[in-house]
């Protein structure tokens, strides 16, 4: 089982609740706490630089604003920066967010290992999630996996992300195609790009390019 865990959660009651579960239900006693993402990152870097890295990060996604200026204002910011330094650390998100696309994005884009939705069964699910992640599994929230068809989940590959980023930057499909050709990125056919963009519109139920960009930014994809 994990022996050293970092918990990033700004609500003290929730923070203490997670620590109690780790201590009493799972038997993990070396647990460090942080209420803000910058603080969590500093604690992570200190232990990493001292060759005593954390094995598991449990973090919320949303954090209240502090009177101090924060470099990292969300759990996603924290995850991104920690992943750059230590790609092997296991990460569990513990959040009220229950949108399937956003949860799936965290697994696909940021390589999180587990997700727990805060709620009535959160304690039981957190225990199962920590145990599953320790065994090497990807652990999705059961309330989603039991009721959600696989076809409802949006999976984006590298080309999809390039198209979304270029559309967000204001480029037309023709201009994007020329950029793909110049960078030797394939596939780059006109038909392929048209179909991919149309599929993105369908997947996110977007009315136009501006709407599509707004949706994916809200989901944290860009």
């Amino acid at each position: 089982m994990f022996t050293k865990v970092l918990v990033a959660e700004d609500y003290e009651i929730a923070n203490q609740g997670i620590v109690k579960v780790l201590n009493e239900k799972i038997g993990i006693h070396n647990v460090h706490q942080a209420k803000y993402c910058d603080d969590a990152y500093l604690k992570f870097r200190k232990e990493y630089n001292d060759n005593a890295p954390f094995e598991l990060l449990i973090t919320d996604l949303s954090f209240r604003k502090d009177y101090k200026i924060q470099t990292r204002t969300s759990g996603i910011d924290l995850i991104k920066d920690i992943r750059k330094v230590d790609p092997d650390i296991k990460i569990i998100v513990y959040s009220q967010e229950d949108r399937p696309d956003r949860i799936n994005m965290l697994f696909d884009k940021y390589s999180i290992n587990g997700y727990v939705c805060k709620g009535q069964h959160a304690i039981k699910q957190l225990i199962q999630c920590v145990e599953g992640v320790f065994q090497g599994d990807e652990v999705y929230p059961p309330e989603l996996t039991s009721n959600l068809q696989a076809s409802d989940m949006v999976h984006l590959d590298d080309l999809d992300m390039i198209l979304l980023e270029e559309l967000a930057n204001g480029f037309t499909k023709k201009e994007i195609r020329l950029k793909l050709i110049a960078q030797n990125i394939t596939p780059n056919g006109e038909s392929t790009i048209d179909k991919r963009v149309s599929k993105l519109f369908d997947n996110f139920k977007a009315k136009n390019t501006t709407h599509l960009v707004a949706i994916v930014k809200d989901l944290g994809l860009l």
Side-chain angles (χ1 to χ4, degrees):
M1 178 49 65
F2 298 112
T3 58
K4 189 172 185 178
V5 179
L6 175 61
V7 176
E9 167 64 64
D10 56 352
Y11 283 95
E12 187 171 354
I13 294 177
N15 205 326
Q16 293 299 323
I18 295 172
V19 173
K20 185 175 181 180
V21 169
L22 295 175
N23 288 169
E24 299 180 3
K25 303 293 184 180
I26 306 179
I28 304 173
H29 299 287
N30 190 0
V31 181
H32 297 235
Q33 305 171 54
K35 292 185 178 180
Y36 297 98
C37 295
D38 282 352
D39 183 31
Y41 183 76
L42 289 174
K43 290 184 177 182
F44 157 77
R45 281 306 298 257
K46 180 182 183 303
E47 299 302 303
Y48 185 85
N49 291 340
D50 289 344
N51 293 317
F54 290 103
E55 300 165 333
L56 172 66
L57 166 70
I58 299 177
T59 181
D60 198 349
L61 293 177
S62 300
F63 289 78
R64 292 170 295 177
K65 291 184 179 180
D66 186 26
Y67 65 92
K68 298 179 182 178
I69 297 177
Q70 299 288 325
T71 302
R72 302 162 191 84
T73 58
S74 71
I76 289 180
D77 293 338
L78 177 63
I79 291 168
K80 286 193 296 185
D81 286 349
I82 284 181
R83 270 277 179 253
K84 291 176 184 176
V85 178
D86 186 358
D88 296 324
I89 188 173
K90 302 297 184 181
I91 298 176
I92 293 174
V93 172
Y94 184 70
S95 172
Q96 291 181 336
E97 176 62 71
D98 61 1
R99 287 180 294 179
D101 288 336
R102 189 169 175 82
I103 293 173
N104 190 61
M105 174 274 296
L106 291 166
F107 281 93
D108 286 350
K109 188 174 181 180
Y110 299 114
S111 301
I112 69 168
N113 305 96
Y115 196 103
V116 178
C117 291
K118 293 180 179 179
Q120 183 177 0
H121 305 292
I123 292 178
K124 178 181 178 181
Q125 292 175 12
L126 179 59
I127 294 171
Q128 294 174 340
C129 189
V130 172
E131 292 174 345
V133 168
F134 180 74
Q135 295 296 326
D137 299 330
E138 283 189 347
V139 184
Y140 286 79
E143 56 265 51
L144 292 184
T145 56
S146 61
N147 298 318
L148 193 64
Q149 296 296 322
S151 59
D152 292 330
M153 300 292 281
V154 178
H155 295 273
L156 303 175
D157 61 18
D158 290 341
L159 180 58
D160 291 323
M161 292 305 304
I162 291 173
L163 293 175
L164 287 171
E165 289 172 359
E166 297 298 345
L167 289 172
N169 289 330
F171 291 101
T172 65
K173 288 187 288 185
K174 182 177 180 180
E175 290 171 330
I176 295 172
R177 179 171 181 264
L178 293 176
K179 291 185 71 172
L180 293 178
I181 293 173
Q183 297 173 30
N184 293 318
I185 297 175
T186 57
N188 54 35
E190 183 177 349
S191 176
T192 298
I193 294 174
D194 284 339
K195 290 178 180 178
R196 285 295 190 103
V197 173
S198 295
K199 186 177 179 182
L200 289 171
F201 274 85
D202 291 340
N203 285 339
F204 292 103
K205 298 178 174 58
K207 299 176 182 178
N208 50 50
T209 301
T210 301
H211 189 206
L212 174 63
V213 171
I215 291 172
V216 296
K217 283 187 176 180
D218 184 54
L219 291 172
L221 291 169
L222 294 177

